Amino acid sequence: HRYAHTLKRWTERMDPLASAKKVAVVGNSNVLVGPGLFEHIPKNIAELFPKTSKFVIVSDKTVYGLYGEQLLKGCQAAGLDTVAFQITPGEKSKCRAVKAEVEDFMLGQRCLRDTLVIALGGGVVGDLAGFVAATYLRGVPVVQIPTSVMAMVDSSVGGKTAINVPAGKNLIGAFHQPRVVYADMVLLRSLTEKQVKEGLAEAIKMGCIRKLDLFEFMEKNAAAVLKQDPGVLATVIYSAISGKADVVSQDEKEKGVRSTLNFGHTIGHAVEALPKKEVLYHGECVAIGMVHEMALLSEMGHLDQSDVKRITACLKAYGLPTEIPEELKVEDMMAKMRIDKKNKNGKIRMTCVTAIGSSLPDPIPIAEEVVIKYLCSLKHK
């Protein structure tokens, strides 16, 4: 027995995949969470996809410069016929034109249905590469290797893929579950402080809507999380992923409870979609959205003011913005909110948090005049 235990410990040190925490999402989609997974991914992919003949890494130029060559050479060393395509970093690449460029590259490489797409990057790369995989030859499998906190805790998990169009964010896309998501915290070391913080906004959101224990852990350990203490950060990421996986397993196609994941996104997406003086990342816009959606919910009697103050204080502890940029016009924000994906019958709907760690399973309608009155009141403060 002692020998078997020692052998297991030795094996886990040699192969972090053996000790990685596994989160089942839906169908055969799984997330592996743990440090040191990256260099073992090619071998794992070779074992999981023995009948696949072509492998396409999609990454952005910044991430590829950090990790791309290592992954490409690792795949080739594992006997995998692998090619790579690099996009320009940033949200502007999540568009029809760049999607077509990736597809044309794959067609030029004679990629057939026995192709695997490997998304290496943050949310933009994951969403774009996932959507390419969903539609290429009517669908090929994809694995995700997220390199940002945001992608690890949110966008890489659950199969949502999309591109942006002039009318708004993520309006053209598909549900396409990744076969595997490799969440290796070591890949986060190259991130800026701003990039880390914006991803943590989504973890705080998960705590607000359904995981009180996650919220309280983040509330008490802000300094350690921001310093990227390995154990503490792993706890946050694993808990956030588990929460999202639980939601997706209940409602893969967002017919009900999955909509709760959009807490902060109604106002947040409006802030994100409009031109601003300061560059705000997605998670920062969600943080702003959470604060002001909570204020509306509190005015309507759904959420106690003490919870609003507590959540706002937690967001501020992580250095996240909470105010809507003053240059944004109410009518422009309303125009964006009117095309939000949660809306039904022409009515704006928001996720309704009723207490920290608890929310209603379906978004609730909020009258436009109530939202307009609230946004206008901010202009006069």
Side-chain angles (χ1 to χ4, degrees):
H1 175 74
R2 185 181 299 170
Y3 172 77
H5 179 71
T6 302
L7 182 62
K8 181 175 182 286
R9 292 280 300 275
W10 181 81
T11 303
E12 287 174 353
R13 281 200 299 271
M14 293 295 290
D15 181 7
L17 284 165
S19 58
K21 291 184 175 180
K22 186 175 181 179
V23 183
V25 185
V26 65
N28 61 357
S29 180
N30 294 292
V31 185
L32 297 176
V33 185
L37 304 180
F38 185 67
E39 63 184 272
H40 300 274
I41 290 173
K43 181 174 176 285
N44 190 241
I45 286 176
E47 292 169 354
L48 292 174
F49 299 93
K51 295 181 180 179
T52 299
S53 67
K54 198 86 171 183
F55 300 81
V56 181
I57 298 168
V58 179
S59 189
D60 70 44
K61 291 173 183 174
T62 301
V63 172
Y64 193 86
L66 294 166
Y67 309 116
E69 280 298 316
Q70 183 184 345
L71 182 62
L72 178 64
K73 288 175 181 175
C75 287
Q76 291 170 341
L80 308 180
D81 182 3
T82 311
V83 294
F85 187 88
Q86 300 175 53
I87 66 169
T88 302
E91 194 77 18
K92 288 183 179 177
S93 287
K94 212 171 99 173
C95 64
R96 289 171 173 139
V98 176
K99 179 173 184 280
E101 288 176 15
V102 180
E103 290 160 342
D104 288 344
F105 170 78
M106 290 173 65
L107 290 166
Q109 293 290 325
R110 297 187 178 89
C111 295
L112 302 175
R113 280 188 174 161
D114 57 348
T115 296
L116 174 71
V117 174
I118 303 170
L120 173 67
V124 169
V125 166
D127 281 4
L128 176 71
F131 191 27
V132 168
T135 58
Y136 188 81
L137 300 182
R138 298 192 178 94
V140 296
V142 62
V143 299
Q144 297 271 358
I145 309 173
T147 59
S148 70
V149 180
M150 170 65 66
M152 271 187 203
V153 302
D154 187 59
S155 61
S156 71
V157 181
K160 273 189 177 182
T161 73
I163 54 172
N164 303 329
V165 291
K169 275 180 60 71
N170 300 329
L171 294 182
I172 308 295
F175 290 98
H176 189 59
Q177 296 295 338
R179 282 285 303 278
V180 189
V181 179
Y182 298 95
D184 181 354
M185 280 72 72
V186 175
L187 300 183
L188 303 177
R189 291 176 183 167
S190 60
L191 299 178
T192 65
E193 189 176 320
K194 184 179 173 79
Q195 289 168 330
V196 171
K197 288 175 178 177
E198 72 123 2
L200 293 170
E202 291 282 3
I204 294 170
K205 176 207 74 179
M206 180 58 69
C208 292
I209 61 172
R210 65 187 295 116
K211 297 203 77 171
L212 176 61
D213 58 340
L214 172 59
F215 181 86
E216 290 179 338
F217 184 86
M218 295 190 71
E219 190 178 39
K220 292 172 186 171
N221 295 281
V225 174
L226 288 170
K227 285 179 183 174
Q228 294 191 51
D229 175 279
V232 174
L233 189 59
T235 298
V236 169
I237 290 173
Y238 178 74
S239 181
I241 289 172
S242 298
K244 176 143 190 199
D246 181 46
V247 171
V248 174
S249 68
Q250 296 176 52
D251 178 24
E252 182 183 3
K253 300 293 177 69
E254 202 167 335
K255 304 293 184 186
V257 70
R258 187 167 181 173
S259 294
T260 60
L261 297 173
N262 288 302
F263 176 46
H265 287 60
T266 304
I267 290 175
H269 270 172
V271 171
E272 188 175 6
L274 294 169
K276 298 166 289 296
K277 293 176 184 175
E278 181 187 358
V279 174
L280 291 174
Y281 293 162
H282 173 73
E284 294 176 307
C285 295
V286 169
I288 292 169
M290 283 194 278
V291 169
H292 296 285
E293 289 177 28
M294 284 191 299
L296 280 163
L297 292 169
S298 181
E299 281 187 9
M300 297 166 70
H302 294 291
L303 183 62
D304 192 272
Q305 189 61 32
S306 63
D307 284 340
V308 175
K309 290 178 180 176
R310 194 174 160 195
I311 295 169
T312 303
C314 185
L315 291 166
K316 287 182 175 179
Y318 283 86
L320 289 159
T322 57
E323 300 299 328
I324 295 172
E326 59 182 17
E327 65 269 22
L328 299 189
K329 296 178 180 177
V330 172
E331 56 267 32
D332 292 339
M333 290 189 65
M334 292 304 299
K336 294 298 181 184
M337 280 187 256
R338 288 185 187 110
I339 56 169
D340 187 86
K341 294 185 294 298
K342 295 183 298 300
N343 296 351
K344 277 188 179 178
N345 300 321
K347 292 185 178 179
I348 292 172
R349 301 197 310 158
M350 292 182 183
T351 297
C352 183
V353 174
T354 54
I356 297 174
S358 181
S359 56
L360 298 181
D362 290 298
I364 61 169
I366 297 186
E368 279 198 21
E369 55 267 28
V370 173
V371 183
I372 292 169
K373 183 181 176 182
Y374 171 75
L375 292 175
C376 287
S377 73
L378 300 177
K379 299 289 184 183
H380 298 105
K381 281 187 177 179

